[in-house]
Amino acid sequence: MKFKNIKLLVRSFLTGYRGEWEDICHNCGACCYEKSEEKNGTIIIDFDSPCSYLDTYNHCCTIYTDRFKKCKQCSRLGIWHALYARWLPPDCGYVRKFRK
Ligand code: SF4
Ligand code: SF4
């Protein structure tokens, strides 16, 4: 892990800031589709089954500021997800930034 990423990680823990953290997401929308796990542990993202709040044309959430209140499946993506969540695709901005 590069030094700048450790600094970003520590800052995210200590301050809970969202600005730079959210900028890491490049809005691909891949985390907003149904996911399943195969027997061998592989995570499959079903791109035919988007969250009902996802605008699949521009990959944006249509309820972004209220998403945790309105969508039961939606959870805040934090540093542990960035480091360990197997359902994030390899080209997710957080995966690329924190799992080098
Ligand atoms: S509610 Fe959550 S899972 Fe659904 S589109 Fe918005 S950010 Fe994605
Ligand atoms: S998969 Fe990663 S980069 Fe893509 S929308 Fe989700 S958090 Fe953002």
Side-chain angles (χ1 to χ4, degrees), residues 29-45:
C31 57
C32 301
Y33 289 80
E34 288 288 329
K35 299 165 236 2
S36 59
E37 183 172 2
E38 299 217 307
K39 283 183 182 170
N40 65 5
T42 304
I43 302 292
I44 304 293
I45 299 174

Side-chain angles (χ1 to χ4, degrees), residues 8-22:
L8 181 58
L9 189 150
V10 170
R11 253 172 75 195
S12 71
F13 269 127
L14 295 180
T15 67
Y17 79 100
R18 304 303 301 170
E20 193 177 345
W21 175 258
E22 299 217 346

Side-chain angles (χ1 to χ4, degrees), residues 24-32 59 77 88-89 91-95:
I24 298 170
C25 173
H26 53 78
N27 300 316
C28 70
C31 57
C32 301
H59 307 148
L77 199 149
L88 285 174
D91 57 348
C92 166
Y94 297 97
V95 172

